[in-house]
Amino acid sequence: MNTKHIEHIQNVIQFAERCIRDEAEALIELIPQLDSNFDRAVNMMVNCKGKVIVTGVGKSGHIGAKIAATLSSTGTPSFFINPLDVFHGDLGVMTKDDVVLALSNSGQTDELLRFIPLLQHMNVPIISMTGNPDSLLAKYSDAHILVHVKKEACPLNLAPTSSTTAALAMGDALAVALMEVRGFEQRDFAQFHPGGSLGRRLLTTAGDVMHTEHLPVINPDMNLGEAIILVSKGKLGLGIAIVDNKVAGLITDGDIRRAMEKWKAEFFNKTVSDIMTTTPKCVPTTMKITEIQEIMHKHKIHSVLVTDEEKHLVGVVDHYRCMV
């Protein structure tokens, strides 16, 4: 690789770093711009009996489409509409129960301004998101969210870069605020994402993923030397002590190693009951694996036992089975 090529790569990286820093600064500068209008906009969306209809032209339109998708996936019925289509029949999808969220950096976009009188005639509330509080769009909105950036990350200060990133972040802020106000939880998210891996993880239960065959069952009175063989064959890194068909305790690879270090030659004279945990973490088959992951993280364990109401062993869920 020649010297000129190396210098070129270094320059390109510097340009990229500057762009990212400029956009990051633009996001931080949004925080002081949050005011009562943001609160009013959230209240309008929460109390909306219809849909939140997001609209915008050009790059603002692309950002608007993403905001609409985020709102819909987090519990706020929403969709994007191109303002150019409003004059060709799409106005019919709007009702007085809806709320319109209009995006325009300048706040002077002609295509948006042209149908504001139509919205006002239909008594459809308008939330605007612009970088100009004195714009016509801001003036004729019921709530105006200011998204002003000092400059674009574009070296010519022309291409929408920092401004679109800021608008996208403000849209996310609206979605998150709405989730908090509505008490939107994991189970709600799963209902809106049943087909994705996240949805599957939120809906999957212990009964769906647990090990049920060749479980390493041992007796509390069993010699540790014999127990090691069964633990090894089970390939789960643990042995489950059963008494009268009920879970009585648990030993793990770690318990065995610590016992060997402690007792050395006397280790093989010890029994399972000498080292077993008598209160292993047990869960029902209906528990979601997201909850099981929380238990594992809290107690720093890698497996839980799945039992019925009478503490009969029905399976084992390990860390790997939680990674669906």
Side-chain angles (χ1 to χ4, degrees), residues 19-240:
C19 174
I20 292 172
R21 290 183 187 280
D22 286 346
E23 296 201 5
E25 289 175 7
L27 293 182
I28 294 300
E29 290 170 356
L30 288 181
I31 296 175
Q33 298 180 43
L34 295 169
D35 57 17
S36 59
N37 276 281
F38 184 89
D39 184 62
R40 188 179 304 119
V42 171
N43 286 331
M44 289 169 64
M45 292 182 176
V46 168
N47 295 316
C48 176
K49 296 179 180 179
K51 305 168 292 296
V52 174
I53 301 173
V54 186
T55 187
V57 178
K59 303 297 187 298
S60 292
H62 295 308
I63 297 300
K66 192 276 179 183
I67 292 174
T70 300
L71 290 172
S72 289
S73 68
T74 52
T76 301
S78 177
F79 66 87
F80 175 80
I81 187 172
N82 190 318
L84 299 175
D85 295 330
V86 169
F87 300 99
H88 300 280
D90 283 5
L91 187 64
V93 303
M94 299 185 189
T95 72
K96 63 180 180 180
D97 292 327
D98 298 331
V99 170
V100 167
L101 172 61
L103 279 68
S104 169
N105 186 42
S106 68
Q108 301 291 116
T109 305
D110 183 63
E111 293 87 347
L112 289 177
L113 297 177
R114 285 167 56 194
F115 82 95
I116 283 182
L118 302 176
L119 297 177
Q120 291 177 326
H121 177 73
M122 296 171 61
N123 293 318
V124 177
I126 303 170
I127 301 169
S128 62
M129 187 185 296
T130 84
N132 182 3
D134 298 320
S135 64
L136 288 176
L137 182 57
K139 178 180 178 181
Y140 288 104
S141 299
D142 298 280
H144 172 250
I145 299 175
L146 182 62
V147 187
H148 175 71
V149 298
K150 293 180 180 179
K151 64 184 181 67
E152 299 288 2
C154 165
L156 301 177
N157 197 30
L158 294 175
T161 44
S162 296
S163 58
T164 48
T165 300
L168 183 62
M170 189 62 77
D172 288 341
L174 282 172
V176 169
L178 287 163
M179 290 173 70
E180 293 287 351
V181 172
R182 288 199 171 98
F184 195 82
E185 299 180 350
Q186 285 189 341
R187 62 176 179 269
D188 302 308
F189 196 90
Q191 291 176 355
F192 287 94
H193 300 77
S197 60
L198 180 57
R200 290 195 300 274
R201 186 167 61 85
L202 292 172
L203 293 173
T204 303
T205 65
D208 296 323
V209 299
M210 65 184 181
H211 296 276
T212 59
E213 298 181 355
H214 308 298
L215 297 178
V217 172
I218 55 180
N219 188 292
D221 298 326
M222 182 179 290
N223 184 281
L224 284 178
E226 186 180 354
I228 289 176
I229 296 174
L230 295 178
V231 170
S232 179
K233 286 183 178 180
K235 299 181 179 179
L236 293 175
L238 52 80
I240 308 149

Side-chain angles (χ1 to χ4, degrees), residues 259-303:
M260 284 181 170
E261 293 175 1
K262 178 181 179 181
W263 287 312
K264 297 182 173 59
E266 296 182 11
F267 170 81
F268 291 98
N269 296 324
K270 301 296 181 178
T271 64
V272 170
S273 61
D274 290 324
I275 68 170
M276 74 180 187
T277 299
T278 57
T279 56
K281 300 303 174 186
C282 299
V283 303
T285 57
T286 55
M287 180 174 284
K288 302 291 191 300
I289 62 171
T290 50
E291 298 175 81
I292 294 174
Q293 286 175 325
E294 292 176 3
I295 292 174
M296 290 180 178
H297 178 73
K298 179 179 179 180
H299 298 283
K300 295 180 173 60
I301 57 178
H302 298 287
S303 302

